[in-house]
Amino acid sequence: MSATRPSFRQKWLLPMATLTSAALVVFWGFYALDHLIAAPAGQGPVRRYFHFDPDSITDAVSSLAGMMAAVFGIVITVVSIIVQLSADRYTGVARMFMRDRVNLGVMGYYVIACVCGVWLSVALKEDYVPRIALVAMMSATTGGFVLMAPYFGYVFWFLEPMNIITRIRSEAARTVGRGLRESGAACESAQASALGAMEELTDITSNSISGKDKIIASGAVDALKDFTLEYLKKKPTASDAWFRIGGGIRQNPDFVAMDPESLGDLERQRTWVEWKVMRQYLGIYN
């Protein structure tokens, strides 16, 4: 079971290049036809197009920022609805979504383009047009339009249940790998992340069983098993601090209910993770 990130070439570059090329071919085809039929002689179609007149493009430049903001609004609305629907079923989805670099990069692109559009809208003068900035803003707006289709595809891929499960396991394994060698607050934070991941996988399993979704339930159980096996491989390298039940997990209901002697036994035997996994499996099958 693996959540393979979509290929940049196949999932991003090709769709954006295809949409951009198709749009430009259609526009320049009609523009060249208009130029051939009705334009005054003396300039080619490309030269005439990029010969911006300050008096005639004021409204067009101002609308670039508005169009980019409208596209950003559509993206935010659609993505928010999709993420909320997933978050109702799987805890931690919103947190994972907002930590993903692709999602942050796309949102940042739209925000930067909107800000640049606002500044460009007041940069025109009676005798001067910032042509490079204007062409860059036109390109950014075009990119914002064609980016929507592949980005929506990425969001749907990101929120597929099996990919969410695999991402939870992978992030937990990475966090534990770092926490095993830490001490103090860093170690306690890693302990809390590991425990939270185990409980998230258990919740997914229980909810899937209730909804009679056997494939997702099996995937979550396998992910909990895979996480445990990865942990056992790394366990010999762990520091002594890892096996102490720190403040980040001591308030967990399973540990709060235990008497101090039992907690001491878990610390001496260095088995609090294994014990927690067994508790999770018992909760699933009971």
Side-chain angles (χ1 to χ4, degrees):
M1 180 179 62
S2 63
T4 304
R5 185 176 293 272
S7 165
F8 174 78
R9 177 182 174 86
Q10 295 180 349
K11 300 298 183 180
W12 294 89
L13 186 59
L14 289 180
M16 292 181 65
T18 300
L19 292 171
T20 304
S21 300
L24 293 179
V25 166
V26 171
F27 169 77
W28 280 105
F30 285 111
Y31 184 83
L33 183 61
D34 282 336
H35 184 273
L36 180 64
I37 295 174
Q43 288 183 325
V46 176
R47 183 179 179 84
R48 185 180 299 278
Y49 179 82
F50 287 103
H51 184 70
F52 300 122
D53 179 23
D55 294 330
S56 61
I57 67 168
T58 302
D59 293 338
V61 172
S62 299
S63 68
L64 286 176
M67 286 189 290
M68 181 57 74
V71 173
F72 187 31
I74 293 172
V75 171
I76 286 290
T77 301
V78 174
V79 169
S80 298
I81 293 172
I82 298 172
V83 172
Q84 183 59 46
L85 291 174
S86 296
D88 290 340
R89 295 187 61 190
Y90 311 113
T91 58
V93 168
R95 184 183 67 252
M96 284 189 292
F97 186 86
M98 294 308 300
R99 286 206 309 252
D100 183 69
R101 285 184 286 184
V102 173
N103 295 314
L104 293 177
V106 171
M107 299 302 169
Y109 173 86
Y110 282 110
V111 170
I112 292 171
C114 288
V115 173
C116 290
V118 171
W119 282 71
L120 178 63
S121 64
V122 296
L124 297 179
K125 306 300 179 184
E126 293 182 358
D127 58 346
Y128 172 70
V129 176
R131 286 179 171 79
I132 296 177
L134 178 55
V135 172
M137 188 61 206
M138 292 167 57
S139 301
T141 304
T142 302
F145 278 107
V146 301
L147 180 62
M148 284 195 296
Y151 179 58
F152 287 156
Y154 175 82
V155 170
F156 283 113
W157 171 86
F158 185 91
L159 296 176
E160 286 182 1
M162 297 303 292
N163 289 338
I164 292 175
I165 291 169
T166 302
R167 198 174 293 110
I168 293 172
R169 177 189 59 78
S170 299
E171 290 183 2
R174 287 195 297 269
T175 302
V176 168
R178 294 191 299 268
L180 290 175
R181 298 183 295 273
E182 300 289 345
S183 60
C187 181
E188 291 185 3
S189 176
Q191 288 178 331
S193 296
L195 187 144
M198 287 186 278
E199 294 188 337
E200 284 184 31
L201 292 173
T202 304
D203 290 341
I204 292 174
T205 304
S206 300
N207 293 337
S208 300
I209 292 174
S210 299
K212 298 182 179 180
D213 197 333
K214 297 180 181 179
I215 295 178
I216 297 176
S218 299
V221 171
D222 288 342
L224 187 59
K225 178 260 297 181
D226 293 338
F227 166 77
T228 306
L229 293 177
E230 291 183 51
Y231 166 75
L232 292 176
K233 291 179 181 178
K234 300 174 182 177
K235 182 178 179 180
T237 65
S239 64
D240 292 337
W242 173 259
F243 300 106
R244 291 192 291 270
I245 300 176
I249 61 174
R250 186 173 291 275
Q251 298 305 313
N252 183 269
D254 286 338
F255 293 123
V256 167
M258 298 180 66
D259 60 81
E261 184 177 351
S262 298
L263 287 175
D265 289 339
L266 288 180
E267 291 180 339
R268 285 190 295 273
Q269 296 171 8
R270 301 190 167 196
T271 56
W272 72 264
V273 173
E274 294 89 328
W275 180 86
K276 181 63 178 179
V277 171
M278 290 302 301
R279 289 281 298 178
Q280 299 306 106
Y281 272 115
L282 290 174
I284 291 172
Y285 293 109
N286 291 332

